[in-house]
């Protein structure tokens, strides 16, 4: 468990460095739902290339981790860097829609609100983060009790 | 150059996600499962990320402008409204059901698992819908 916490902490610091790099270089918040949703569905005039570049960086990162021989922190899979899905595909599809609609309406996710927003002491992000963490915990509690 | 820095940021972000263990949905659900076998890893991830970013952002405030752009795009809204709370609740529901949030979902496309592709496609539909069904201010 201690190893996992250390991996988690180091990974978190790297995520923070990425957010700092993004703001330092191009002055943008590293909020994945915002970047991805605007890359796909932005109204005209918003410059898009940097959004796609960020997404490509995200998409290739597991390959880079493996080629650099960096450790992952997957506990419950034979895969080293990416875990396996937990629920059947219909639940994944419904969850996906909820994630999209929810982050779209609230203008952020765990990176935008949870990391960058809390770091900025944003009241909106504090409320958003407390809300999505609480509802996620309630969801897990409910679905686990239904299964048992 | 902007694109290169964005690419590097995305790459570093993704590396952080992998190293931290957030790409394992069972680790995420393990954190959210407060009544069961609790896995505190996500707390260490969030703690490390927020603290690092807090310090970095404070330092950046001393700069007049970013390196490659005219202005820092700091978000300005401070009001709380219904779409914020309802949206966050919906996001929490989806996150709790699957153990995925947007970043790890995109990385998981690399597994080739069709259910992940289904989640990401529906997430994109959800983003489209959020713009279509916007809230009155």
């Amino acid at each position: 468990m201690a190893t996992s916490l250390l991996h988690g902490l180091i990974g978190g610091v790297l995520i923070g460095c990425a957010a700092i790099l993004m703001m330092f270089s191009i002055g943008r918040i590293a909020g994945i739902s915002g970047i991805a949703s605007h890359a796909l569905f932005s109204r005209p005039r918003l410059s898009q290339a940097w959004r796609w570049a960020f997404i490509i960086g995200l998409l290739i990162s597991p390959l880079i981790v493996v080629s650099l021989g960096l450790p992952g922190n997957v506990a419950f899979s034979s895969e080293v860097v990416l875990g396996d899905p937990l629920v059947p595909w219909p639940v994944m599809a419904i969850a996906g829609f909820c994630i999209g609609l929810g982050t779209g309406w609230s203008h952020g996710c765990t990176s935008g609100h949870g990391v960058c927003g809390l770091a900025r002491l944003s009241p909106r992000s504090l409320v958003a983060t407390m809300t999505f963490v609480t509802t996620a915990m309630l969801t897990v509690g409910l679905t686990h009790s239904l299964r048992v | 150059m902007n694109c290169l820095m964005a690419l590097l940021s995305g790459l570093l972000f993704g590396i952080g996600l992998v190293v931290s263990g957030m790409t394992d949905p069972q680790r995420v659900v393990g954190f959210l499962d407060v009544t069961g076998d609790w896995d505190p890893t996500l707390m260490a991830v969030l703690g490390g990320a927020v603290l690092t970013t807090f310090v970095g952002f404070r330092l950046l405030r001393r700069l007049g402008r970013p390196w490659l752009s005219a202005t820092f795009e700091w978000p300005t809204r401070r009001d709380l409204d219904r779409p914020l709370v309802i949206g966050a609740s919906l996001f929490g529901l989806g996150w709790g059901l699957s153990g995925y949030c947007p970043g790890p979902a995109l990385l998981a496309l690399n597994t080739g698992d069709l259910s992940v592709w289904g989640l990401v496609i529906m997430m994109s539909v959800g983003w489209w819908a959020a713009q279509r069904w916007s809230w009155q201010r």
Side-chain angles (χ1 to χ4, degrees), chain A residues 69-87:
Chain A
L70 298 174
N73 192 15
V74 171
F76 305 98
S77 169
S78 55
E79 301 295 320
V80 179
V81 292
L82 298 169
D84 298 319
L86 299 169
V87 291

Side-chain angles (χ1 to χ4, degrees), chain A residues 63-138:
Chain A
L63 311 172
I64 301 297
V65 168
V66 170
S67 59
L68 289 178
L70 298 174
N73 192 15
V74 171
F76 305 98
S77 169
S78 55
E79 301 295 320
V80 179
V81 292
L82 298 169
D84 298 319
L86 299 169
V87 291
W89 71 265
V91 180
M92 291 281 275
I94 291 167
F97 184 73
C98 292
I99 292 166
L101 189 61
T103 55
W105 276 345
S106 59
H107 297 289
C109 58
T110 40
S111 53
H113 282 309
V115 176
C116 297
L118 292 186
R120 287 174 44 239
L121 308 176
S122 156
R124 278 178 65 84
S125 294
L126 184 62
V127 169
T129 304
M130 289 194 313
T131 304
F132 63 66
V133 170
T134 305
T135 51
M137 286 177 169
L138 286 171

Side-chain angles (χ1 to χ4, degrees), chain B residues 21-103:
Chain B
M22 290 305 99
T23 53
D24 187 2
Q26 193 146 352
R27 268 217 192 281
V28 174
V29 171
F31 169 78
L32 297 170
D33 192 8
V34 286
T35 60
D37 218 352
W38 191 56
D39 184 339
T41 307
L42 178 47
M43 203 168 64
V45 184
L46 220 49
V50 173
L51 280 172
T52 307
T53 309
F54 173 76
V55 171
F57 278 5
R58 288 286 288 245
L59 292 172
L60 288 179
R61 292 270 187 196
R62 300 184 186 186
L63 298 176
R65 46 161 288 180
W67 173 29
L68 300 166
S69 179
T71 54
F72 288 113
E73 302 286 337
W74 298 113
T76 52
R77 285 185 66 186
R78 300 180 69 80
D79 59 302
L80 306 176
D81 59 0
R82 275 183 308 160
L84 182 75
V85 178
I86 292 171
S89 303
L90 254 183
F91 168 45
L93 175 64
W95 191 32
L97 281 175
S98 64
Y100 286 99
C101 58

Side-chain angles (χ1 to χ4, degrees), chain A residues 57-67 81-82, chain B residues 14-15 18 107-108 110:
Chain A
L58 272 185
L59 291 173
I60 66 174
S61 61
L63 311 172
I64 301 297
V65 168
V66 170
S67 59
V81 292
L82 298 169
Chain B
I15 292 172
V18 173
L107 266 72
N110 283 284

